[in-house]
Amino acid sequence: MINGNLKATYAADEKIVDNRYKFSFVWGLAVLAAWLPIFANDYVILVACQVGIMVVAVVGLNVLTGYTGLMSLGHAAFVAIGAYGVTLLHHAATALSIPEGIQPFFTIPGAMALAAVIGLIVGLPSLRVKGVYLAVATLSANFIIIFLIELDALAPWTGGKTGLTTVDPSIFGWVLDTQREVFILIAVMAFATVLLVQNLFRTRVGRAFIAIRERDYSAEILGISLLRYKLTSFAISAACCGLAGALMAYFYARVLPEQFELLLSLQLVAALIVGGMGRTMGPVFGVLVIVLSPELLKVILSAIAGDSIEAAQFRAPLQEIIFGLLIIGFIMFEPLGMTQISDRVFRALNRWPFARG
């Protein structure tokens, strides 16, 4: 019975995409992303941009929760820091007379660094608590950061409850002032983030994260510093969410505090559970399900009941019910998520037409 892939060299063993079906799937996604801005309509571009931004954020959460085993319900705060940070840094760069064409090369890393620093601070409780207690601590941090953004004393910088008007990024003179142009940036960043994080777990740092997830006391006995690597995991995770926030600021004309409240954190967690924690493609599959399910539901209900006010009122709570059912269903019947289902499909394809077991 065929039960694996023959790997005769170290190079073959190090490949991320280790069979032709996975290779075709990954390149199919890349071709689809390249095709969308040319031929897709505005609605498809809007949904695709939302998917790309969410993928970057869920990849960040996957670093912390999926690979390091630290639960967080406050990652929306890091997305907010990235969104507000990149906007404020653009204004600062303009005041310093930095050319617009190179400003994103300073503002995006700056927003990610700011989110990483806040992530280090938020991650300090992880040294003493874990599990649900750590989740509550990060949730409290989310509330604190949103409160600070809405604070009247900081309103001259954050805009308070009315939010901030964002800027259109310019890359070497190419102003990204349409959704299609911003989608190209989002798609490139999403692919790069997934690839870089996947390769992170081939390094000593990534393996230390996994050791902490499996048994932190044993990892410490083996010489892994819990202080260093837990805080590093928080910083990397927050930086990825900061990048998602920066992309969100470029995509939307205005950022508002309510965009980054508890609902966003729950959506990130739901996407990770549905997709599969601790797996490379888990965030991708999870985001596709979480983002596309409400859109599919909207299309179905519109076809059945039309675009009436009653249908819209019925659709809103139904979307929340679907989120809950998805999470419960995957926890009960497939706790490893969509990635495990795809693995079974790829294994079956790889064995075909031989062993079927």
Side-chain angles (χ1 to χ4, degrees), residues 175-193:
V175 180
L176 307 181
D177 55 357
T178 66
Q179 289 185 350
R180 293 177 187 274
E181 292 172 325
V182 175
F183 169 75
I184 297 173
L185 176 63
I186 292 173
V188 170
M189 290 297 181
F191 273 95
T193 303

Side-chain angles (χ1 to χ4, degrees), residues 159 161-166 248-249 251-256 259-260:
K161 295 183 179 180
T162 59
L164 281 180
T165 301
T166 59
M248 182 179 291
F251 178 66
Y252 293 105
R254 195 170 187 85
V255 289
L256 301 168
Q259 292 175 294
F260 310 102

Side-chain angles (χ1 to χ4, degrees), residues 253-268:
R254 195 170 187 85
V255 289
L256 301 168
E258 54 262 29
Q259 292 175 294
F260 310 102
E261 293 181 347
L262 178 60
L263 178 60
L264 177 58
S265 292
L266 294 179
Q267 287 177 336
L268 298 180

Side-chain angles (χ1 to χ4, degrees), residues 69-86:
L70 302 175
M71 187 61 190
S72 173
L73 291 177
H75 264 53
F78 304 132
V79 180
I81 291 168
Y84 279 86
V86 78

Side-chain angles (χ1 to χ4, degrees), residues 145-198:
I145 289 173
I146 297 301
F147 170 77
L148 292 175
I149 289 174
E150 295 179 341
L151 198 64
D152 291 337
L154 298 178
W157 296 278
T158 65
K161 295 183 179 180
T162 59
L164 281 180
T165 301
T166 59
V167 298
D168 295 325
S170 174
I171 301 177
F172 299 124
W174 177 29
V175 180
L176 307 181
D177 55 357
T178 66
Q179 289 185 350
R180 293 177 187 274
E181 292 172 325
V182 175
F183 169 75
I184 297 173
L185 176 63
I186 292 173
V188 170
M189 290 297 181
F191 273 95
T193 303
V194 172
L195 182 61
L196 289 174
V197 169
Q198 165 62 23

